[in-house]
Amino acid sequence: MPRGGRKGGHKGRARQYTSPEEIDAQLLAEKEKAREAALLAENGGELAAGDPLKEKKDSDDSDDEDDEDYQQKRKGVEGLIDIENPNRAAQTTKKVSQLDLEGPKELSRREREEIEKQKAKERYMKMHLAGKTDQAKADLARLAIIRKQREDAAKKKDDEKKEKEKETATGRGIQSLSLKD
């Protein structure tokens, strides 16, 4: 006998499906709440006396009772938690004329990071060329040492060249004197 005691597992036992009628009723209720909120915002928080929504509510008392029964039938913490199912809301499609192409585009996180990285690299290169970074300072110091060494080597070479010229000049003079004697 398997460890679970039964063949099969725990999956699939208590699945509950929402009927299409319930989904439609919930969508209508959400739309009504949105309309009420819009009207309240327009009227400054007060419903007008001849408001069609208020009159509609008075005539639809029987529907409200059904909704209350539905609210009472919820078990556990379902009544306390208001869950918004993204799959329930109908997706709205926009026409091409409604699209806002001139508005600012929202970049993804990767695109923003890439742009920030490029800007940081450009800032570093500007500072490096100006000689303000540690690496640039070290490079300039190394370059100064190399220039000084090259200057010293060139000076030493010039001195040696002058000495050779003096030796050859004095050596020729001695040879020319000895030939004349």
Side-chain angles (χ1 to χ4, degrees):
M1 193 164 152
R3 286 188 177 180
R6 289 186 191 160
K7 188 174 183 181
H10 64 282
K11 295 181 181 179
R13 282 190 198 159
R15 289 191 180 167
Q16 296 176 345
Y17 297 100
T18 308
S19 68
E21 292 84 22
E22 288 179 24
I23 293 174
D24 291 338
Q26 290 172 355
L27 285 173
L28 287 174
E30 289 174 6
K31 286 181 183 178
E32 250 184 66
K33 284 182 185 178
R35 285 184 199 152
E36 287 177 19
L39 284 174
L40 285 175
E42 289 177 8
N43 295 333
E46 296 180 15
L47 287 175
D51 194 2
L53 284 179
K54 196 172 188 182
E55 293 171 6
K56 186 177 179 184
K57 281 187 180 180
D58 294 339
S59 65
D60 293 338
D61 286 337
S62 62
D63 291 339
D64 290 339
E65 292 172 6
D66 292 338
D67 290 338
E68 289 173 7
D69 292 340
Y70 177 72
Q71 294 289 339
Q72 291 174 357
K73 290 180 185 176
R74 290 185 174 178
K75 297 178 183 176
V77 290
E78 287 181 10
L80 301 175
I81 302 171
D82 187 27
I83 299 171
E84 187 161 327
N85 187 353
N87 297 328
R88 186 183 314 149
Q91 294 180 352
T92 58
T93 56
K94 290 186 177 182
K95 294 182 181 178
V96 177
S97 60
Q98 292 175 341
L99 291 177
D100 184 23
L101 298 175
E102 295 177 5
K105 285 187 176 179
E106 291 185 23
L107 300 174
S108 67
R109 178 185 55 85
R110 288 185 181 172
E111 290 171 338
R112 282 193 307 264
E113 288 176 356
E114 188 67 30
I115 290 171
E116 288 174 9
K117 192 185 291 185
Q118 288 175 355
K119 286 182 181 178
K121 194 172 187 179
E122 289 174 9
R123 264 188 266 119
Y124 180 80
M125 288 305 293
K126 284 181 184 177
M127 290 181 68
H128 186 74
L129 292 174
K132 294 182 180 178
T133 61
D134 294 336
Q135 186 178 4
K137 290 176 184 177
D139 290 344
L140 290 174
R142 212 175 305 121
L143 185 62
I145 292 170
I146 292 171
R147 281 184 184 157
K148 185 164 173 106
Q149 288 175 349
R150 287 183 182 168
E151 287 175 5
D152 292 342
K155 199 175 200 182
K156 189 175 181 182
K157 201 173 192 182
D158 286 341
D159 290 342
E160 288 177 3
K161 192 175 185 181
K162 288 180 182 178
E163 282 183 29
K164 281 187 181 180
E165 287 178 7
K166 284 183 183 179
E167 287 177 10
T168 54
T170 55
R172 284 186 200 158
I174 296 174
Q175 289 175 359
S176 60
L177 289 175
S178 61
L179 292 176
K180 289 184 184 175
D181 285 332

Coordinates of all heavy atoms in Angstrom, one line a residue, residues 29-97:
A29 N -21.6 44.8 -11.1 CA -21.5 45.5 -9.8 C -20.2 46.4 -9.8 O -20.3 47.6 -9.3 CB -21.4 44.5 -8.7
E30 N -19.1 46.0 -10.4 CA -17.9 46.8 -10.4 C -18.1 48.0 -11.3 O -17.7 49.1 -11.0 CB -16.8 45.9 -10.9 CG -16.3 44.9 -10.0 CD -15.2 44.0 -10.5 OE1 -14.8 44.2 -11.7 OE2 -14.8 43.1 -9.8
K31 N -18.8 47.8 -12.4 CA -19.1 49.0 -13.3 C -20.0 50.0 -12.6 O -19.7 51.2 -12.8 CB -19.7 48.5 -14.6 CG -18.8 47.8 -15.6 CD -19.5 47.3 -16.8 CE -18.6 46.6 -17.7 NZ -19.3 46.1 -19.0
E32 N -21.0 49.5 -11.9 CA -21.8 50.4 -11.2 C -21.1 51.2 -10.1 O -21.3 52.4 -10.0 CB -23.0 49.6 -10.5 CG -24.3 49.9 -11.1 CD -25.4 49.2 -10.4 OE1 -25.7 49.6 -9.3 OE2 -26.0 48.3 -11.0
K33 N -20.2 50.6 -9.4 CA -19.4 51.3 -8.4 C -18.5 52.3 -9.1 O -18.3 53.4 -8.5 CB -18.5 50.3 -7.7 CG -19.2 49.4 -6.6 CD -18.3 48.5 -5.9 CE -19.0 47.6 -5.0 NZ -18.1 46.6 -4.3
A34 N -17.9 52.0 -10.2 CA -17.1 53.0 -11.0 C -17.9 54.2 -11.4 O -17.5 55.3 -11.3 CB -16.5 52.3 -12.2
R35 N -19.2 53.9 -11.9 CA -20.1 55.0 -12.3 C -20.4 55.9 -11.1 O -20.4 57.1 -11.2 CB -21.4 54.5 -12.9 CG -21.2 53.9 -14.3 CD -22.5 53.5 -14.8 NE -22.3 52.6 -15.9 CZ -23.2 51.6 -16.3 NH1 -24.3 51.5 -15.6 NH2 -22.9 50.8 -17.3
E36 N -20.7 55.3 -10.0 CA -21.1 56.0 -8.8 C -19.9 56.9 -8.3 O -20.0 58.1 -8.0 CB -21.4 55.1 -7.6 CG -22.8 54.5 -7.8 CD -23.1 53.5 -6.7 OE1 -22.5 53.6 -5.6 OE2 -24.0 52.6 -6.9
A37 N -18.7 56.3 -8.4 CA -17.5 57.1 -8.0 C -17.3 58.3 -8.9 O -16.9 59.4 -8.5 CB -16.3 56.2 -8.0
A38 N -17.5 58.1 -10.2 CA -17.4 59.1 -11.2 C -18.4 60.2 -10.9 O -18.1 61.4 -10.9 CB -17.5 58.6 -12.6
L39 N -19.6 59.9 -10.6 CA -20.7 60.8 -10.4 C -20.4 61.6 -9.1 O -20.6 62.8 -9.0 CB -22.0 60.2 -10.3 CG -22.7 59.8 -11.7 CD1 -23.9 59.0 -11.5 CD2 -22.9 61.0 -12.5
L40 N -20.0 60.9 -8.1 CA -19.6 61.5 -6.8 C -18.5 62.5 -7.0 O -18.5 63.6 -6.4 CB -19.2 60.5 -5.7 CG -20.4 59.7 -5.1 CD1 -19.8 58.6 -4.2 CD2 -21.3 60.6 -4.4
A41 N -17.5 62.2 -7.8 CA -16.4 63.1 -8.1 C -16.9 64.3 -8.8 O -16.4 65.4 -8.6 CB -15.3 62.4 -8.9
E42 N -17.8 64.2 -9.8 CA -18.3 65.3 -10.5 C -19.2 66.2 -9.7 O -19.1 67.4 -9.8 CB -19.2 64.8 -11.7 CG -18.3 64.1 -12.8 CD -19.2 63.6 -13.9 OE1 -20.5 63.8 -13.9 OE2 -18.7 62.9 -14.8
N43 N -20.0 65.6 -8.8 CA -21.0 66.4 -8.0 C -20.4 66.9 -6.7 O -21.1 67.5 -5.9 CB -22.2 65.6 -7.8 CG -23.0 65.3 -9.0 OD1 -22.9 66.0 -10.0 ND2 -23.7 64.2 -9.0
G44 N -19.1 66.6 -6.5 CA -18.5 67.1 -5.2 C -18.9 66.2 -4.0 O -18.9 66.7 -2.9
G45 N -19.2 65.0 -4.2 CA -19.5 64.1 -3.1 C -20.9 63.9 -2.8 O -21.2 63.1 -1.9
E46 N -21.8 64.6 -3.4 CA -23.3 64.4 -3.1 C -24.0 64.0 -4.4 O -23.8 64.4 -5.5 CB -23.8 65.7 -2.7 CG -23.2 66.3 -1.4 CD -23.8 67.6 -1.0 OE1 -24.9 67.9 -1.5 OE2 -23.3 68.2 -0.1
L47 N -24.9 63.0 -4.2 CA -25.8 62.6 -5.3 C -26.9 63.6 -5.5 O -27.5 64.1 -4.5 CB -26.3 61.2 -5.0 CG -25.3 60.0 -5.2 CD1 -26.0 58.7 -4.7 CD2 -24.8 59.9 -6.6
A48 N -27.3 63.9 -6.7 CA -28.4 64.8 -7.0 C -29.7 64.1 -6.7 O -29.8 62.9 -6.7 CB -28.3 65.3 -8.4
A49 N -30.8 64.9 -6.5 CA -32.1 64.3 -6.2 C -32.6 63.6 -7.4 O -33.3 62.5 -7.2 CB -33.0 65.5 -5.8
G50 N -32.4 64.0 -8.6 CA -32.9 63.3 -9.8 C -31.9 62.4 -10.4 O -31.9 62.3 -11.6
D51 N -31.1 61.8 -9.6 CA -30.0 61.0 -10.1 C -30.5 59.7 -10.6 O -31.3 59.0 -9.9 CB -29.0 60.8 -9.0 CG -27.7 60.2 -9.5 OD1 -27.6 60.0 -10.7 OD2 -26.8 59.9 -8.7
P52 N -30.2 59.3 -11.8 CA -30.8 58.0 -12.3 C -30.2 56.8 -11.6 O -31.0 55.8 -11.4 CB -30.3 58.0 -13.8 CG -29.2 59.0 -13.9 CD -29.4 60.0 -12.8
L53 N -29.1 56.9 -11.1 CA -28.5 55.7 -10.3 C -29.3 55.5 -9.0 O -29.5 54.4 -8.6 CB -27.0 55.9 -10.0 CG -26.1 55.7 -11.2 CD1 -24.6 56.0 -10.8 CD2 -26.2 54.3 -11.7
K54 N -29.6 56.6 -8.4 CA -30.3 56.5 -7.1 C -31.7 55.9 -7.3 O -32.2 55.1 -6.6 CB -30.4 57.9 -6.5 CG -30.8 57.9 -5.0 CD -30.7 59.3 -4.5 CE -30.8 59.3 -3.0 NZ -30.8 60.6 -2.4
E55 N -32.4 56.4 -8.4 CA -33.7 55.9 -8.7 C -33.6 54.4 -9.1 O -34.5 53.6 -8.8 CB -34.3 56.7 -9.9 CG -34.6 58.1 -9.5 CD -35.0 59.0 -10.7 OE1 -35.1 58.4 -11.8 OE2 -35.2 60.2 -10.5
K56 N -32.6 54.0 -9.8 CA -32.4 52.6 -10.2 C -32.2 51.7 -9.0 O -32.7 50.6 -9.0 CB -31.2 52.5 -11.2 CG -31.0 51.2 -11.8 CD -29.8 51.2 -12.7 CE -29.7 49.8 -13.3 NZ -28.5 49.7 -14.2
K57 N -31.5 52.2 -8.0 CA -31.3 51.5 -6.8 C -32.6 51.2 -6.1 O -32.8 50.2 -5.5 CB -30.3 52.2 -5.9 CG -28.9 52.0 -6.3 CD -28.0 52.6 -5.2 CE -26.5 52.4 -5.6 NZ -25.6 53.0 -4.6
D58 N -33.4 52.2 -6.0 CA -34.7 52.1 -5.4 C -35.6 51.0 -6.1 O -36.3 50.3 -5.4 CB -35.5 53.4 -5.3 CG -34.7 54.5 -4.5 OD1 -33.9 54.0 -3.6 OD2 -35.0 55.7 -4.7
S59 N -35.5 51.0 -7.4 CA -36.4 50.1 -8.1 C -35.8 48.6 -8.1 O -36.5 47.7 -8.3 CB -36.6 50.5 -9.6 OG -35.3 50.5 -10.2
D60 N -34.5 48.5 -7.9 CA -33.9 47.2 -7.9 C -33.6 46.6 -6.5 O -32.5 46.1 -6.2 CB -32.6 47.2 -8.7 CG -32.8 47.5 -10.2 OD1 -33.9 47.2 -10.6 OD2 -31.9 48.0 -10.8
D61 N -34.5 46.8 -5.6 CA -34.3 46.3 -4.2 C -34.2 44.8 -4.2 O -33.5 44.2 -3.4 CB -35.4 46.8 -3.3 CG -35.3 48.2 -3.0 OD1 -34.2 48.8 -3.1 OD2 -36.4 48.9 -2.6
S62 N -34.9 44.1 -5.1 CA -34.9 42.6 -5.1 C -33.5 42.1 -5.5 O -33.1 41.1 -4.9 CB -36.0 42.1 -6.0 OG -35.7 42.5 -7.3
D63 N -32.9 42.8 -6.4 CA -31.5 42.4 -6.8 C -30.5 42.6 -5.7 O -29.6 41.8 -5.5 CB -31.0 43.2 -8.0 CG -31.8 42.8 -9.3 OD1 -32.4 41.7 -9.3 OD2 -31.8 43.7 -10.2
D64 N -30.7 43.7 -4.9 CA -29.8 43.9 -3.7 C -30.0 42.8 -2.7 O -29.0 42.4 -2.1 CB -30.2 45.3 -3.1 CG -29.7 46.4 -4.0 OD1 -28.9 46.2 -4.9 OD2 -30.3 47.5 -3.8
E65 N -31.2 42.3 -2.5 CA -31.4 41.2 -1.6 C -30.7 40.0 -2.0 O -30.1 39.2 -1.2 CB -32.9 41.0 -1.4 CG -33.7 42.1 -0.7 CD -35.2 41.9 -0.7 OE1 -35.6 40.8 -1.2 OE2 -35.9 42.8 -0.3
D66 N -30.7 39.7 -3.3 CA -30.0 38.5 -3.8 C -28.5 38.7 -3.6 O -27.8 37.7 -3.2 CB -30.2 38.4 -5.3 CG -31.7 38.0 -5.6 OD1 -32.3 37.4 -4.7 OD2 -32.1 38.2 -6.8
D67 N -28.0 39.9 -3.8 CA -26.6 40.1 -3.5 C -26.2 40.0 -2.1 O -25.2 39.4 -1.7 CB -26.2 41.6 -4.0 CG -26.2 41.7 -5.5 OD1 -26.1 40.7 -6.2 OD2 -26.3 42.9 -6.0
E68 N -27.1 40.4 -1.2 CA -26.9 40.2 0.3 C -26.9 38.7 0.6 O -26.1 38.3 1.4 CB -28.0 40.9 1.0 CG -27.9 42.5 1.0 CD -29.0 43.2 1.6 OE1 -29.9 42.5 2.3 OE2 -29.1 44.4 1.5
D69 N -27.8 38.0 0.0 CA -27.8 36.5 0.3 C -26.5 35.9 -0.2 O -25.9 35.0 0.5 CB -28.9 35.8 -0.5 CG -30.3 36.2 0.1 OD1 -30.3 36.7 1.3 OD2 -31.3 36.1 -0.6
Y70 N -26.0 36.4 -1.3 CA -24.7 35.9 -1.9 C -23.6 36.2 -0.9 O -22.7 35.4 -0.7 CB -24.5 36.5 -3.3 CG -23.2 36.0 -3.8 CD1 -23.0 34.7 -4.3 CD2 -22.1 36.9 -3.9 CE1 -21.7 34.4 -4.8 CE2 -20.9 36.6 -4.4 CZ -20.7 35.3 -4.9 OH -19.5 34.9 -5.4
Q71 N -23.7 37.4 -0.4 CA -22.6 37.9 0.6 C -22.7 37.0 1.9 O -21.6 36.7 2.4 CB -22.8 39.4 1.0 CG -22.6 40.3 -0.1 CD -21.1 40.4 -0.6 OE1 -20.3 40.1 0.2 NE2 -20.9 40.9 -1.8
Q72 N -23.9 36.6 2.3 CA -24.0 35.8 3.5 C -23.5 34.4 3.3 O -23.1 33.7 4.2 CB -25.4 35.8 4.0 CG -25.9 37.2 4.5 CD -27.3 37.2 4.8 OE1 -28.1 36.2 4.6 NE2 -27.8 38.3 5.4
K73 N -23.6 33.9 2.1 CA -23.2 32.5 1.8 C -21.7 32.3 1.8 O -21.3 31.2 1.8 CB -23.8 32.1 0.4 CG -25.3 31.9 0.4 CD -25.8 31.5 -0.9 CE -27.3 31.5 -1.0 NZ -27.8 31.2 -2.3
R74 N -21.0 33.4 1.8 CA -19.5 33.2 1.8 C -19.1 32.6 3.1 O -19.6 32.9 4.1 CB -18.8 34.6 1.6 CG -19.0 35.1 0.2 CD -18.2 36.4 0.1 NE -18.2 36.9 -1.2 CZ -17.6 38.0 -1.6 NH1 -16.9 38.7 -0.7 NH2 -17.6 38.4 -2.9
K75 N -18.1 31.7 3.0 CA -17.6 31.0 4.2 C -16.2 31.5 4.6 O -15.4 32.0 3.7 CB -17.5 29.5 3.9 CG -18.9 28.9 3.6 CD -18.7 27.5 3.2 CE -20.1 26.9 2.9 NZ -19.9 25.5 2.4
G76 N -15.9 31.4 5.8 CA -14.5 31.7 6.3 C -14.2 33.2 6.1 O -15.1 34.1 6.4
V77 N -13.0 33.5 5.7 CA -12.6 34.9 5.5 C -12.9 35.5 4.2 O -12.4 36.6 3.9 CB -11.1 35.0 5.8 CG1 -10.8 34.7 7.3 CG2 -10.3 34.0 4.9
E78 N -13.6 34.8 3.4 CA -14.0 35.3 2.0 C -14.7 36.6 2.1 O -14.5 37.5 1.3 CB -14.8 34.3 1.3 CG -14.1 33.1 0.8 CD -15.0 32.1 0.0 OE1 -16.1 32.5 -0.3 OE2 -14.6 31.0 -0.3
G79 N -15.5 36.8 3.1 CA -16.2 38.1 3.3 C -15.4 39.2 3.7 O -15.7 40.4 3.5
L80 N -14.2 38.9 4.3 CA -13.3 39.9 4.8 C -12.3 40.4 3.8 O -11.9 41.5 3.8 CB -12.5 39.4 6.1 CG -13.4 39.0 7.2 CD1 -12.5 38.4 8.3 CD2 -14.2 40.2 7.8
I81 N -12.0 39.5 2.9 CA -11.0 39.8 1.9 C -11.6 40.1 0.6 O -12.4 39.3 0.1 CB -10.0 38.6 1.7 CG1 -9.3 38.3 3.0 CG2 -8.9 38.9 0.7 CD1 -8.5 37.0 3.0
D82 N -11.3 41.3 0.0 CA -11.9 41.6 -1.3 C -10.8 41.3 -2.3 O -9.8 41.9 -2.4 CB -12.2 43.1 -1.3 CG -12.9 43.5 -2.6 OD1 -13.6 42.6 -3.1 OD2 -12.8 44.7 -3.0
I83 N -11.1 40.3 -3.1 CA -10.1 39.8 -4.1 C -10.5 40.4 -5.4 O -11.7 40.3 -5.8 CB -10.2 38.3 -4.1 CG1 -9.8 37.7 -2.8 CG2 -9.2 37.8 -5.2 CD1 -9.9 36.2 -2.6
E84 N -9.5 40.9 -6.1 CA -9.7 41.4 -7.5 C -9.0 40.4 -8.4 O -7.8 40.3 -8.4 CB -9.1 42.8 -7.6 CG -9.5 43.4 -8.9 CD -9.4 44.9 -8.9 OE1 -9.6 45.5 -7.9 OE2 -9.0 45.4 -9.9
N85 N -9.8 39.7 -9.2 CA -9.3 38.8 -10.2 C -9.0 39.5 -11.5 O -9.9 40.0 -12.1 CB -10.3 37.7 -10.4 CG -9.8 36.5 -11.2 OD1 -8.7 36.6 -11.7 ND2 -10.6 35.5 -11.3
P86 N -7.7 39.5 -11.9 CA -7.4 40.2 -13.1 C -7.9 39.4 -14.4 O -8.1 40.1 -15.4 CB -5.8 40.1 -13.1 CG -5.5 39.0 -12.2 CD -6.5 38.9 -11.2
N87 N -8.2 38.2 -14.2 CA -8.8 37.4 -15.4 C -10.3 37.7 -15.6 O -10.8 37.5 -16.6 CB -8.6 35.9 -15.1 CG -7.2 35.5 -15.1 OD1 -6.3 36.2 -15.7 ND2 -6.8 34.5 -14.3
R88 N -10.9 38.3 -14.5 CA -12.3 38.5 -14.6 C -12.6 39.8 -15.4 O -13.6 39.9 -16.2 CB -12.9 38.7 -13.2 CG -14.4 38.8 -13.2 CD -15.0 39.0 -11.9 NE -14.4 38.2 -10.9 CZ -14.3 38.5 -9.6 NH1 -14.7 39.7 -9.2 NH2 -13.7 37.6 -8.8
A89 N -11.8 40.8 -15.3 CA -12.0 42.1 -16.0 C -11.9 41.9 -17.5 O -10.9 41.3 -18.0 CB -11.1 43.1 -15.5
A90 N -12.8 42.5 -18.2 CA -12.7 42.4 -19.7 C -11.6 43.4 -20.1 O -11.5 44.5 -19.7 CB -14.0 42.8 -20.3
Q91 N -10.8 42.9 -21.1 CA -9.7 43.7 -21.6 C -10.3 44.7 -22.5 O -11.1 44.4 -23.4 CB -8.7 42.9 -22.3 CG -8.0 41.9 -21.3 CD -6.9 41.1 -22.0 OE1 -6.8 41.1 -23.2 NE2 -6.1 40.4 -21.2
T92 N -9.9 46.0 -22.4 CA -10.4 47.0 -23.2 C -9.4 47.2 -24.4 O -8.2 47.3 -24.2 CB -10.5 48.4 -22.5 OG1 -9.3 48.7 -21.9 CG2 -11.6 48.2 -21.4
T93 N -9.9 47.4 -25.6 CA -9.0 47.6 -26.7 C -9.1 49.1 -27.1 O -10.2 49.7 -27.0 CB -9.5 46.8 -27.9 OG1 -10.8 47.0 -28.2 CG2 -9.3 45.3 -27.6
K94 N -8.0 49.7 -27.5 CA -8.0 51.1 -27.8 C -7.9 51.2 -29.3 O -7.2 50.4 -30.0 CB -6.8 51.8 -27.2 CG -6.9 51.9 -25.7 CD -5.8 52.7 -25.1 CE -5.9 53.0 -23.7 NZ -4.8 53.8 -23.1
K95 N -8.5 52.3 -29.8 CA -8.4 52.6 -31.2 C -7.0 53.3 -31.5 O -6.4 53.8 -30.5 CB -9.5 53.4 -31.7 CG -10.9 52.7 -31.6 CD -11.9 53.6 -32.1 CE -13.3 52.9 -32.0 NZ -14.4 53.8 -32.4
V96 N -6.6 53.3 -32.7 CA -5.3 53.9 -33.0 C -5.4 55.4 -32.8 O -4.5 56.0 -32.3 CB -5.0 53.7 -34.5 CG1 -3.7 54.4 -34.9 CG2 -4.8 52.2 -34.8
S97 N -6.6 56.0 -33.0 CA -6.8 57.4 -32.7 C -6.7 57.8 -31.2 O -6.4 58.9 -30.8 CB -8.1 57.9 -33.3 OG -9.2 57.2 -32.6

